[in-house]
Amino acid sequence: MKAGQPITRIGLTWLLVAQVLVILPHLLHLPLWIIAMWLGCAGWRIQIFRMRAQYPGALVKAALILAVALGVILSRGTLVGLEAAVVLLVAVFILKLVELRSQRDALVLVLLGFFTQVTAYLFNDSMLAALYSLLPLCALLAALVGLQQSRFAERPLVPLKAAGTLLLQAVPLMLLLFLFFPRLGPLWSLPLPNDKGITGLSDSMSPADIAELSRSDELAFRASFDGQVPPVSQLYWRALTLERFDGRRWSQSIGSEREPGADWRRVGEPLRYSIVMQASGKPWLFGLDVAQTQEEGVRTLADFRMERRQPVDRSLLYQVTSWPQAVREPEGNPSALRRALQLPAQGDARARAWAQELRQRHKDPRQLVEALLAHFHREPYVYTLKPPRLGEDSIDAFLFDSRRGFCAHYAGAMTFVLRAAGIPARVVAGYQGGELNPAGNYVLVHQFDAHAWVEYWLPGRGWTSVDPTFQVAPSRIERGLEEALAGEQSFLEGAPLSPLRYRQLAWLNDLRLAWDNLNYGWQRWVLGYQGAVQVELVRRWFGSLDSRLLGLGLVAAGGLLMAVLALFLFAPWRRERDPQLRQFQAFERLLARHGVQRGKGEGPRDFADRASRELPGQAAQIRAFLAAFEASRYAGRSPADPSAPLRALRKALPWRLRAVRR
């Protein structure tokens, strides 16, 4: 590619097509003015190509850059952060279009396109997004090919065919690098937008928060068990332990982060499973009690939640082992027990008085808990996503007035009463249940499975989990939210197009689960192929290998692949064995590179005569080669070696490849 060579029509066409395909997946997180800017720049560049407009001057370029910076600040509020950085990158990718003067500028634009395409994976790393990325990749390669060959102007699909061939040739090397190239951490990172576009649990909870999550059909995580999947009623996925209550909201306490790990004893058979968690922007992980993982950078805190050093900003695969029957802190941590008895100084007087009354009637804490559960079961409480607004004393208003609420109402009210009665208790927030996908034998947990329950502490028994929601709506725990809300028809009422609302249609539900199974396999075996998984695979195949030997093997395998590919491309077994025909084929290829193609059925003499007319400066060498070829081929004699005039013709032709014939 020559630096000063002008841009061809077919090259510009493929550049515009590539820009559209690269920008398209970014439209969900780009401001609308980006679209208007691309339309304006594309039209401007076309007019420049048609010589009806001028290139922008220095002042115009400066004004465009300032306008883009101002637009990013107005639409994103900052020039820092992931979304702002991507908007700036896409804007530069577009603005570069109007200053293309040569093929060197076009090459810069193609390289920007490759980089912009990679940033799409920061927002969507699904299998569908990966398949779509092949389209802009092919278009960028086609633009790269079309920029170098002007003879493609009459056949615009030829560059696309060449691009597809290049991609297929790169597949073996790509697989080799994917399997064996060491996974490196990022050299830099960009902060995610503050919870923007991410649905999930927050570090504090009010009843309205859980109810809002239950209207979302977004996926939270998938879990695959080693062996039989436990019953849905036993799947309580802990995320947070909420110990502080200010009268309205429950939130985490910083005390559990400072304390050493909790004291607990393993009892019973463990459950082993893997979780593929969607991006949440939060550091906590999900697991069944009591959960442990060997993942690097993850710890189990004193309140039994798992927390990661870095927020989960993209899909994460991790392995977990849980002991559901474990005894948790039978002796009790004094500071944790104090936090589990904290209540506001005032408020909810009726609930406090009722708690004292229960305490007087039931000296055994276990009997008091059973009495509370029986109260929720016996009295006319209603499970609903549409509870009435509560007043300042929210616990009193729920327990004695409205008696209508969601899981967070019941968990918060029970924890309050237990604390008022002198029993340490706290709220646990996470997810309950999930949907079994029989195609892959794994559990899908959605945001509408968000749930809150209670755990209380007894001497010698430690922390014990209990769910008051089960007493009011057992169908919610055993068969899911949709079954529990069947009467009020509020399940995903804000998402009429969600396929989860039409699970009664067998064919549609089977199609949804089959597609999800494909995505789950993609996340587990492709996105989850990181660090420890890669090392384990290499050890399984080759035994223990040090990094130096692995690097040498990777280089050797790559060289072998390149050699095989070169052998396939040059295909020496396909070369003409007849030396005379081989020389004539070299003569054809030499003229073809200079724009003179031999037509089908065109004889050697006719072809040479036409080439002499189209390349008059080299007519003598062309005729000399033809005379030598005919003499050696047809007359059985060789007055002149055809290779000598062929070399003379090659020297006579210009070095610069160009299309003489239009």
Side-chain angles (χ1 to χ4, degrees):
M1 178 180 293
K2 299 294 184 179
Q5 191 169 351
I7 299 172
T8 62
R9 180 187 298 270
I10 190 62
L12 179 60
T13 301
W14 277 112
L15 281 176
L16 294 174
V17 171
Q19 276 201 329
V20 172
L21 294 176
V22 169
I23 295 173
L24 191 59
H26 287 284
L27 290 182
L28 294 178
H29 48 268
L30 287 178
L32 294 179
W33 56 264
I34 284 286
I35 302 176
M37 187 176 74
W38 183 85
L39 292 174
C41 291
W44 191 351
R45 188 60 186 81
I46 293 173
Q47 293 301 103
I48 292 175
F49 184 82
R50 300 174 67 183
M51 298 183 181
R52 296 181 178 179
Q54 298 295 324
Y55 288 99
L59 291 179
V60 175
K61 291 179 183 179
L64 289 174
I65 294 174
L66 290 176
V68 166
L70 181 61
V72 173
I73 292 176
L74 293 177
S75 58
R76 293 296 178 262
T78 179
L79 290 175
V80 180
L82 177 61
E83 288 196 350
V86 171
V87 174
L88 284 173
L89 177 63
V90 174
V92 171
F93 181 48
I94 294 173
L95 290 179
K96 185 65 179 175
L97 188 66
V98 298
E99 67 165 3
L100 296 182
R101 294 178 179 270
S102 64
Q103 289 193 359
R104 182 179 60 183
D105 296 330
L107 177 60
V108 173
L109 184 65
V110 170
L111 296 178
L112 273 174
F114 286 131
F115 192 75
T116 306
Q117 174 61 32
V118 170
T119 60
Y121 286 105
L122 298 175
F123 298 91
N124 188 355
D125 55 9
S126 67
M127 183 176 65
L128 186 61
L131 292 175
Y132 172 83
S133 66
L134 296 177
L135 294 179
L137 186 58
C138 277
L140 288 168
L141 289 175
L144 196 60
V145 174
L147 286 169
Q148 302 180 66
Q149 302 293 341
S150 60
R151 68 177 184 272
F152 290 150
E154 298 177 358
R155 294 180 294 169
L157 294 182
V158 173
L160 184 62
K161 181 180 178 181
T165 303
L166 290 174
L167 278 180
L168 290 177
Q169 292 169 355
V171 167
L173 186 60
M174 177 196 70
L175 292 177
L176 177 69
L177 294 175
F178 173 77
L179 289 174
F180 300 111
F181 194 82
R183 295 300 190 265
L184 302 176
L187 299 178
W188 69 87
S189 61
L190 290 172
L192 285 172
N194 296 328
D195 298 340
K196 188 172 182 180
I198 296 178
T199 302
L201 295 169
S202 62
D203 53 5
S204 64
M205 180 201 76
S206 69
D209 297 333
I210 298 290
E212 185 65 27
L213 281 181
S214 297
R215 295 184 175 94
S216 171
D217 65 345
E218 292 188 26
L219 185 68
F221 61 93
R222 301 179 181 93
S224 179
F225 288 85
D226 296 348
Q228 188 175 1
V229 179
V232 174
S233 59
Q234 298 179 13
L235 298 180
Y236 281 83
W237 308 96
R238 178 191 290 262
L240 303 170
T241 307
L242 307 178
E243 298 177 314
R244 295 183 65 254
F245 182 59
D246 61 3
R248 302 295 297 180
R249 300 184 66 85
W250 293 88
S251 58
Q252 294 185 98
S253 173
I254 60 175
S256 58
E257 298 180 357
R258 299 174 178 174
E259 295 173 354
D263 175 31
W264 60 282
R265 296 199 305 265
R266 300 177 181 181
V267 178
E269 293 296 323
L271 291 174
R272 293 182 174 86
Y273 52 97
S274 61
I275 287 181
V276 177
M277 179 179 169
Q278 302 302 110
S280 65
K282 302 295 183 181
W284 50 76
L285 306 183
F286 307 118
L288 304 172
D289 282 329
V290 172
Q292 280 195 325
T293 179
Q294 300 300 320
E295 296 297 316
E296 184 179 357
V298 179
R299 58 175 180 163
T300 301
L301 299 181
D303 57 1
F304 301 103
R305 75 178 187 268
M306 291 189 297
E307 188 171 276
R308 195 166 177 256
R309 291 177 184 172
Q310 300 294 331
V312 181
D313 53 7
R314 56 182 55 88
S315 298
L316 176 67
L317 168 66
Y318 58 97
Q319 309 291 328
V320 188
T321 303
S322 293
W323 283 265
Q325 302 175 26
V327 178
R328 295 175 286 164
E329 283 194 345
E331 303 301 326
N333 184 330
S335 60
L337 297 182
R338 284 195 299 271
R339 291 195 301 269
L341 289 172
Q342 173 266 329
L343 285 176
Q346 297 178 346
D348 299 297
R350 287 185 291 172
R352 296 174 191 263
W354 184 45
Q356 293 302 318
E357 180 184 342
L358 290 172
R359 185 66 176 178
Q360 292 178 1
R361 291 206 311 260
H362 306 284
K363 302 300 183 182
D364 187 345
R366 285 175 293 185
Q367 294 179 357
L368 191 150
V369 172
E370 293 297 329
L372 258 179
L373 296 175
H375 173 82
F376 285 125
H377 179 73
R378 181 180 62 253
E379 298 299 323
Y381 286 92
V382 177
Y383 183 82
T384 177
L385 276 179
K386 300 177 180 179
R389 295 180 64 87
L390 302 177
E392 182 177 353
D393 293 336
S394 58
I395 302 296
D396 282 355
F398 167 69
L399 284 174
F400 305 109
D401 300 330
S402 71
R403 298 193 175 189
R404 299 173 61 87
F406 197 59
C407 62
H409 292 86
Y410 294 99
M414 183 172 183
T415 302
F416 185 95
V417 173
L418 289 177
R419 289 186 175 188
I423 301 175
R426 56 197 186 190
V427 176
V428 182
Y431 298 87
Q432 194 282 321
E435 178 186 18
L436 178 65
N437 189 335
N441 196 36
Y442 62 91
V443 177
L444 297 101
V445 180
H446 297 86
Q447 295 298 344
F448 59 72
D449 293 313
H451 194 60
W453 61 97
V454 180
E455 61 181 15
Y456 64 96
W457 185 84
L458 293 177
R461 294 187 58 183
W463 293 102
T464 303
S465 297
V466 64
D467 191 354
T469 303
F470 180 78
Q471 305 301 320
V472 180
S475 58
R476 163 64 185 91
I477 309 304
E478 296 175 342
R479 292 186 293 276
L481 183 67
E482 184 177 9
E483 183 73 19
L485 300 176
E488 67 179 33
Q489 300 294 319
S490 60
F491 178 71
L492 297 181
E493 60 180 355
L497 299 181
S498 172
L500 289 164
R501 294 194 61 181
Y502 307 101
R503 286 186 282 190
Q504 69 277 9
L505 300 176
W507 67 271
L508 182 60
N509 195 52
D510 291 343
L511 184 64
R512 176 182 64 86
L513 293 177
W515 174 248
D516 188 85
N517 188 36
L518 288 175
N519 276 291
Y520 183 48
W522 168 263
Q523 288 193 318
R524 287 196 67 185
W525 305 116
V526 178
L527 301 182
Y529 187 72
Q530 302 290 336
V533 179
Q534 184 187 41
V535 172
E536 180 63 27
L537 180 66
V538 172
R539 288 178 178 173
R540 189 185 308 166
W541 285 2
F542 304 105
S544 59
L545 292 176
D546 58 22
S547 57
R548 184 176 61 179
L549 189 58
L550 180 61
L552 291 176
L554 185 63
V555 172
L560 180 61
L561 277 176
M562 296 298 291
V564 172
L565 183 60
L567 190 65
F568 174 77
L569 290 176
F570 291 107
W573 59 87
R574 295 181 182 176
R575 295 184 63 183
E576 181 60 53
R577 296 184 179 181
D578 190 323
Q580 298 166 350
L581 290 180
R582 191 162 61 244
Q583 287 179 337
F584 189 81
Q585 289 174 353
F587 172 72
E588 286 186 63
R589 291 193 298 270
L590 181 61
L591 294 181
R593 288 200 296 268
H594 291 74
V596 184
Q597 295 277 353
R598 183 185 177 190
K600 292 184 179 180
E602 189 175 18
R605 178 167 293 183
D606 293 338
F607 175 53
D609 290 343
R610 182 167 59 84
S612 299
R613 292 191 300 270
E614 297 191 16
L615 299 172
Q618 293 79 31
Q621 290 83 358
I622 293 174
R623 293 192 183 97
F625 172 81
L626 180 66
F629 172 74
E630 287 180 338
S632 62
R633 182 69 179 174
Y634 301 113
R637 54 186 175 86
S638 181
D641 184 6
S643 60
L646 182 62
R647 288 194 298 270
L649 174 62
R650 184 176 290 110
K651 292 180 180 179
L653 287 169
W655 285 96
R656 184 176 180 181
L657 301 182
R658 56 188 175 87
V660 178
R661 182 185 55 183
R662 293 189 178 274

